[in-house]
Amino acid sequence: MSVMAVPAQHGVPERPGMPPMPPELAKLLRAQLAAVADQVEEEVRRQVPEYARPADGPYGRNLRAGVVQALTLFVDHIADPRDDGGAIAATYYELGRGEALEGRSLDALQSALRVGGLHAWRLMGQTAEELGLDSTVVAALGELAFRTVHEVAEAAAAGYAEAQLRSSDELERRRRRLLDLLLEDGPVALEAVQDLAHGARWPVPRTVAVVALAAAPDRREEDRPLAAAGALVDMESRPPRMLVPDPDGSGGFGGFGGRAFTLALRGRPAAIGPTVAVTDAAQSLHLATRALGLMGRGVLPRQGVVRCADHLSTLLLYGDEPLLERLEARVLAPLDTVSAGQRDRLAETLLAWLLSGSNVPDVATRLHIHPQTVRYRLRQLEKLFSDALHDPETRLDLILALRAESLRTPQK
């Protein structure tokens, strides 16, 4: 990595009027550097549990290199105040990146810097006092020690932040690939899912459900994924989609389709696919997408959240619309011989009669009309359909065709 990639230091205490350092001080401290590094390393191991590990491990090697580099930077500042310590700052930048890439917190490294810096100053301060340096020089050395710790800590934090950003971007890419695998047509191997899920840090659930989302009412909101723990989200697809693990348990939106989820949608209509095995996620997506399309046409409720599990018969009816149109045209042909207004009333009465088991009082109650009106309409229907009204297979076809037609009719 180029040293130029390390951000410039900000907020470092530095006084233009800092007194000149005795030339022999840097040489003397440099001669003691190895011994001081040993003591600082031991103190850090004692006070920071994460570094109380074998010296030949990653933490041990990083600790030794970091201590020596920081002490070297301090001495270099004494020898030449104009030295910006760029190479050493780059080392700490890489140390910070390494902590992030290993998934560790920056806290341990920052604690080691504080502990090590304080102990190093105590040891080197003793040397300065033994030389009988003026108190202003000793104070300036203290400021220089603080400046050194600040520089390396800031470099480490910058490296950590950069790696976290890149790690976050990479994690997002891996989760997008995982989502694409889960939602692709055709069989999906569980082993392939598990391999990708491991790299994406996504625990593989037993069941999932896919949510298809309508276009955002406000374009500015479109690229802001809904907050859902563990959900895989693709807001760039059309329609936007979201795969939720364990939708019927504690992992799914706290009661899938409940108030919290509805509020998070900010008024955006959504269709929730049925719960399926993780390798069958594409099936949930297909039904959710179909339901969303039917919502847009008014066949299913246009607003709010629609659960596919509550509308399976409608989804079945509209699974093959050209075939459905043929069925309607064939079985409802007798109704085409009457006026439009009369057709609607007869169709409504016929569907209610078929669904109520041919019970006239029930039909009257359901339609809020007089039973005699029901009987009058039934006589008309008998003339139109003849014996077909009493054929079981024809009755089933009529129920399907009339039900499909009624779903497209605006509710009164």
Side-chain angles (χ1 to χ4, degrees):
M1 186 198 72
S2 171
V3 173
M4 296 300 292
V6 182
Q9 310 299 318
H10 300 287
V12 178
E14 183 175 13
R15 293 192 321 190
M18 182 175 290
M21 298 293 157
E24 68 274 11
L25 179 59
K27 184 177 181 180
L28 179 60
L29 292 178
R30 203 179 300 278
Q32 297 178 350
L33 196 145
V36 172
D38 289 340
Q39 295 184 55
V40 170
E41 184 179 353
E42 182 179 348
E43 184 68 13
V44 170
R45 288 183 188 280
R46 188 178 69 82
Q47 293 198 41
V48 184
E50 287 83 355
Y51 286 92
R53 303 183 184 185
D56 57 351
Y59 265 102
R61 291 192 295 270
N62 287 344
L63 172 59
R64 182 65 184 186
V67 168
V68 171
Q69 292 278 14
L71 292 175
T72 301
L73 178 61
F74 175 62
V75 176
D76 286 347
H77 279 326
I78 295 174
D80 183 2
R82 297 168 298 177
D83 184 3
D84 64 2
I88 293 175
T91 297
Y92 270 86
Y93 187 85
E94 287 299 321
L95 285 175
R97 287 185 73 251
E99 294 296 283
L101 294 175
E102 291 296 326
R104 296 189 290 259
S105 167
L106 188 61
D107 292 346
L109 180 57
Q110 300 286 34
S111 295
L113 286 173
R114 289 192 296 271
V115 170
L118 179 60
H119 195 66
W121 167 240
R122 286 172 181 164
L123 296 173
M124 291 186 164
Q126 291 174 4
T127 300
E129 291 179 357
E130 290 170 0
L131 290 175
L133 299 178
D134 184 86
S135 59
T136 57
V137 175
V138 175
L141 282 174
E143 289 189 19
L144 195 57
F146 175 70
R147 171 187 169 188
T148 302
V149 172
H150 183 94
E151 286 179 0
V152 296
E154 191 174 65
Y160 189 88
E162 185 267 348
Q164 271 199 322
L165 177 62
R166 293 198 178 188
S167 176
S168 176
D169 290 343
E170 176 61 24
L171 188 64
E172 183 62 29
R173 284 192 291 271
R174 291 180 181 181
R175 292 195 169 191
R176 180 66 61 84
R177 290 198 297 270
L178 173 61
L179 182 61
D180 290 342
L181 171 66
L182 288 168
L183 298 183
E184 70 180 15
D185 290 324
V188 177
L190 181 60
E191 294 78 7
V193 173
Q194 291 171 332
D195 287 344
L196 271 182
H198 177 74
R201 301 179 191 172
W202 190 73
V204 179
R206 188 175 62 86
T207 61
V208 297
V210 178
V211 182
L213 303 166
D218 185 344
R219 291 285 301 177
R220 291 172 298 177
E221 298 291 332
E222 190 160 346
D223 294 326
R224 293 171 59 179
L226 296 164
L232 299 178
V233 180
D234 182 0
M235 302 301 285
E236 297 177 2
S237 64
R238 292 294 176 268
R241 57 202 188 182
M242 176 168 39
L243 183 144
V244 179
D246 188 27
D248 301 323
S250 59
F253 292 114
F256 209 25
R259 179 172 175 79
F261 179 43
T262 303
L263 290 174
L265 289 171
R266 296 188 177 96
R268 177 187 294 193
I272 301 173
T275 298
V276 296
V278 66
T279 53
D280 295 328
Q283 297 178 18
S284 185
L285 171 64
H286 289 324
L287 289 176
T289 303
R290 185 185 302 171
L292 190 66
L294 294 176
M295 291 172 69
R297 293 161 53 187
V299 175
L300 291 176
R302 291 182 181 274
Q303 300 300 320
V305 178
V306 167
R307 295 174 58 102
C308 288
D310 297 334
H311 301 276
L312 294 179
S313 61
T314 301
L315 293 170
L316 178 62
L317 273 177
Y318 283 85
D320 188 338
E321 294 199 50
L323 184 59
L324 179 60
E325 290 173 1
R326 289 178 178 273
L327 175 66
E328 291 181 69
R330 182 178 65 83
V331 301
L332 300 182
L335 291 175
D336 294 336
T337 62
V338 301
S339 66
Q342 190 179 12
R343 185 192 191 284
D344 291 343
R345 292 191 293 271
L346 290 177
E348 181 184 49
T349 302
L350 179 55
L351 179 58
W353 181 71
L354 291 168
L355 294 177
S356 65
S358 307
N359 187 301
V360 171
D362 284 352
V363 175
T365 300
R366 178 179 297 194
L367 301 182
H368 308 289
I369 58 178
H370 195 278
Q372 191 60 32
T373 303
V374 175
R375 294 188 181 95
Y376 171 74
R377 292 179 183 177
L378 287 175
R379 285 193 295 270
Q380 291 179 292
L381 289 166
E382 288 278 0
K383 292 179 182 179
L384 293 172
F385 288 92
S386 188
D387 294 338
L389 289 183
H390 304 287
D391 177 67
E393 291 187 8
T394 302
R395 288 167 70 100
L396 176 59
D397 288 347
L398 283 167
I399 289 173
L400 295 175
L402 290 165
R403 175 59 177 161
E405 186 176 86
S406 70
L407 289 170
R408 291 193 296 270
T409 303
Q411 300 299 309
K412 297 178 180 179

